[in-house]
Amino acid sequence: MSLALSLLRSHFFKHLTCCNSATTFFSFCRRIHCLPPTNRFSSVPSAKAARQQQLSKLNITAVNCSTLPLHNGTVTSHDAFSLPYLSVRICCPRHVADMLSESLMCFGASSTTIDEQDSHETGEEIWISSTFDIDQDVKDCISRAADSVGLKEIPDYKVEMNDHTDWIKQSQESFHPVEITEGLWVVPEWRNPPDLQAINIVLNPGLAFGTGEHPTTKLCLLLLRRLVKGGEYFLDYGTGSGVLAIAALKFGADLSVGFDIEPQAITSARHNAALNNIGPEKLLLSLVPSKNGPQFENECPYEGISSQDLYNSKIIAEKDKYDVVIANILLYPLLDLAERIISYAKPGAVVAVSGIISEQVPTVVEHYSQFLEDINVSTMDDWACITGSKKTEPCTT
């Protein structure tokens, strides 16, 4: 498998209204995330609210695949990574770094990285490392991004020309095995597991969200570790890299199913399942239609990928089937898709929703209380995971 193919896979559910062009993907370096287009699952009424949701998930590294040539659904090494690019370092106030990093992506940056060595310091300024296509107007992008987050002046920045192969090497070197808890690791494909006796989930995340480092992924993995005793049926509604579905099987689940709206995410999850010696009979994957979105035949933008081939109508139709259901997505799709998500759980089954910040918990709890009982909330670094048991009787209110 070529380096480009192994590095550039895809993701899933996270939205942002300001990115209206081709699908925007985020990859590599510690916390991995992507920004799909706005038609995923539901409309997002507030760009400001959506940006607030993205803060932690967008602050490390991003790759915008809409700027890279694609062949048969993958970025080719020769076309994409032999070209030069602009490396831009931006000095900005610390309190806006997360949102500025995200806004840069919306206004033309190909990647953004908040310098990790600076994030633990207490100064008022921090550096954002970013990349741009060689023909991008860097000043205009920075100016518009700065204005969108309320900065009155353009931040200081430095521009250099680099080669993509340097960036790939740096990205891989910065992605290390993540210890979720004692005896449980998420390990990138190109690294050796630190503990061979542990449960090691091997991933080539590429552009798929779910490396184990983000708090919401950790919360969901820790929940699965507690819930799965053996023989369960598990549904990951928003599978991304497949990390949760793979983990459930390693914990002892009898079957994992992963839904996603992105064809490239299904491909990524299949690849990661193979890395963990998990066959298609144990991990079933399928596209699901996005709410108010286009039909499958129009959803896949890449030559050589057939969305219909990734769609399994049988498993989509099987409701009231799963012992554990997790949806680690974002606020608005969680609210819009609540009934659909709940419908897949058996009566009395555990349902968990995550991908939300702590201040959004009351809204989600209020909405899901009509479907769930015994609701509990766990938090990590201002992110939350809400769990409850599916009511055995439908709500009459």
Side-chain angles (χ1 to χ4, degrees):
M1 179 177 295
S2 69
L3 177 61
L5 176 59
S6 65
L7 290 180
L8 292 170
R9 296 290 184 184
S10 171
H11 171 62
F12 163 67
F13 284 71
K14 319 294 185 205
H15 323 225
L16 191 66
T17 55
C18 62
C19 297
N20 289 322
S21 60
T23 300
T24 303
F25 293 108
F26 288 9
S27 175
F28 304 119
C29 278
R30 319 296 289 173
R31 298 172 192 164
I32 297 184
H33 182 68
C34 80
L35 286 179
T38 58
N39 63 3
R40 297 185 177 189
F41 285 112
S42 61
S43 59
V44 181
S46 168
K48 181 178 179 181
R51 282 198 297 268
Q52 178 65 23
Q53 277 191 295
Q54 303 290 342
L55 293 183
S56 295
K57 295 188 179 182
L58 299 178
N59 69 346
I60 303 299
T61 296
V63 177
N64 186 338
C65 276
S66 66
T67 65
L68 301 179
L70 291 160
H71 296 281
N72 296 323
T74 63
V75 180
T76 65
S77 177
H78 177 269
D79 289 340
F81 296 112
S82 60
L83 299 176
Y85 69 97
L86 299 178
S87 176
V88 182
R89 282 174 52 79
I90 304 161
C91 184
C92 71
R94 182 178 296 272
H95 71 280
V96 299
D98 291 299
M99 295 183 70
L100 180 60
S101 176
E102 173 195 334
S103 293
L104 288 165
M105 289 294 299
C106 293
F107 290 110
S110 298
S111 73
T112 57
T113 305
I114 292 181
D115 288 2
E116 197 163 320
Q117 64 269 26
D118 293 340
S119 63
H120 302 294
E121 299 177 2
T122 57
E124 294 182 357
E125 294 184 329
I126 193 169
W127 286 89
I128 298 174
S129 296
S130 60
T131 63
F132 289 80
D133 282 353
I134 197 73
D135 58 352
Q136 280 282 347
D137 187 336
V138 173
K139 182 177 180 179
D140 180 67
C141 172
I142 296 175
S143 175
R144 295 169 67 189
D147 182 68
S148 74
V149 300
L151 294 180
K152 296 181 179 179
E153 297 181 356
I154 300 177
D156 293 334
Y157 63 95
K158 304 174 183 177
V159 182
E160 295 180 353
M161 186 177 295
N162 292 105
D163 186 88
H164 273 295
T165 55
D166 298 329
W167 178 84
I168 294 169
K169 182 179 179 181
Q170 293 171 5
S171 298
Q172 284 196 327
E173 288 176 350
S174 66
F175 182 24
H176 299 280
V178 177
E179 185 177 24
I180 305 302
T181 187
E182 184 177 359
L184 176 60
W185 290 80
V186 177
V187 183
E189 181 183 3
W190 52 87
R191 299 279 187 180
N192 293 322
D195 182 0
L196 293 176
Q197 304 305 313
I199 296 175
N200 291 298
I201 303 169
V202 182
L203 291 183
N204 186 331
L207 305 177
F209 179 78
T211 64
E213 185 142 21
H214 191 269
T216 60
T217 310
K218 285 184 177 179
L219 287 168
C220 293
L221 285 169
L222 292 171
L223 176 66
L224 275 176
R225 185 74 180 271
R226 295 194 304 269
L227 291 177
V228 177
K229 306 299 182 183
E232 291 86 355
Y233 280 20
F234 169 65
L235 173 63
D236 181 9
Y237 203 103
T239 196
S241 68
V243 60
L244 298 182
I246 292 168
L249 292 170
K250 293 207 169 196
F251 297 156
D254 193 55
L255 176 71
S256 277
V257 172
F259 289 163
D260 206 294
I261 64 169
E262 280 296 323
Q264 297 80 16
I266 301 299
T267 304
S268 177
R270 284 180 177 175
H271 174 73
N272 289 325
L275 290 177
N276 290 272
N277 299 313
I278 294 173
E281 74 283 355
K282 299 293 289 185
L283 175 53
L284 305 179
L285 298 161
S286 178
L287 290 175
V288 288
S290 57
K291 189 173 183 180
N292 300 324
Q295 298 301 311
F296 285 119
E297 60 266 26
N298 297 324
E299 281 192 354
C300 185
Y302 303 134
E303 180 184 355
I305 296 181
S306 170
S307 297
Q308 293 289 347
D309 292 341
L310 305 178
Y311 173 63
N312 187 326
S313 60
K314 182 176 183 295
I315 61 173
I316 290 176
E318 293 176 333
K319 305 296 179 67
D320 299 312
K321 175 178 179 177
Y322 299 95
D323 303 289
V324 180
V325 174
I326 293 181
N328 181 20
I329 45 180
L330 286 178
L331 175 64
Y332 293 108
L334 284 176
L335 298 178
D336 286 347
L337 297 169
E339 289 189 60
R340 185 185 298 180
I341 292 168
I342 296 293
S343 71
Y344 287 100
K346 295 177 180 177
V350 175
V351 177
V353 293
S354 191
I356 55 175
I357 56 179
S358 297
E359 67 185 47
Q360 295 165 340
V361 166
T363 299
V364 178
V365 168
E366 180 181 6
H367 190 70
Y368 274 80
S369 62
Q370 60 186 306
F371 309 111
L372 302 177
E373 55 191 2
D374 301 325
I375 293 177
N376 293 289
V377 180
S378 55
T379 61
M380 184 182 295
D381 297 338
D382 292 327
W383 292 86
C385 178
I386 299 170
T387 60
S389 300
K390 181 177 177 179
K391 291 180 178 180
T392 56
E393 296 294 335
C395 179
T396 58
T397 59

